[in-house]
Amino acid sequence: MDLPEAFISLIEEQPELFTSENRKDLAQQQWSDNADELGDQIFEWASARKNIYEAALEKLSGRDNDRLPGDGKTAPKPKPEDYKSMLLNAIQRNLGSRSPSDKLK
């Protein structure tokens, strides 16, 4: 699991970590389409918020986060080019609506 995957997982599984200010700020970010740049943006954003940063690091430690329920197999790894759309969808589903400027192209 890499940082974008861990962060998306955190949004989906622990939305209570994100304050209303965090949610608004996330929705207003101009996330990159490039997976490496997106990872850098996520790192910068999360590292300014200690509780979110620490939770993301815990996700990155890999404690059975990739397991599918019941079968012991690992989940297929998402394609890096899909990270931005996955992030925007997770923000919208779990943290509220995103701003019109962040609509998927």
Side-chain angles (χ1 to χ4, degrees):
M1 179 178 285
D2 56 18
L3 183 57
E5 289 176 87
F7 190 67
I8 292 164
S9 178
L10 194 62
I11 291 170
E12 292 176 340
E13 296 172 10
Q14 297 178 292
E16 68 277 1
L17 290 175
F18 297 84
T19 66
S20 59
E21 186 177 300
N22 293 156
R23 293 166 189 238
K24 183 178 179 182
D25 190 51
L26 274 173
Q28 293 176 348
Q29 294 296 310
Q30 297 298 314
W31 301 109
S32 176
D33 290 321
N34 177 285
D36 292 332
E37 290 175 15
L38 180 61
D40 291 343
Q41 289 175 308
I42 290 170
F43 174 79
E44 185 176 324
W45 190 92
S47 64
R49 293 147 184 93
K50 185 178 179 180
N51 66 323
I52 295 171
Y53 180 74
E54 288 174 355
L57 288 179
E58 189 173 313
K59 283 275 180 204
L60 284 171
S61 72
R63 295 184 192 157
D64 297 325
N65 291 324
D66 295 333
R67 298 268 177 209
L68 294 174
D71 68 2
K73 296 181 181 176
T74 58
K77 185 168 176 60
K79 297 176 189 171
E81 61 267 19
D82 294 337
Y83 287 153
K84 180 181 178 181
S85 64
M86 290 171 61
L87 175 61
L88 294 175
N89 288 333
I91 291 169
Q92 183 178 29
R93 275 192 320 271
N94 299 285
L95 303 179
S97 62
R98 60 181 181 244
S99 69
S101 64
D102 287 335
K103 287 184 180 174
L104 297 176
K105 296 177 183 174

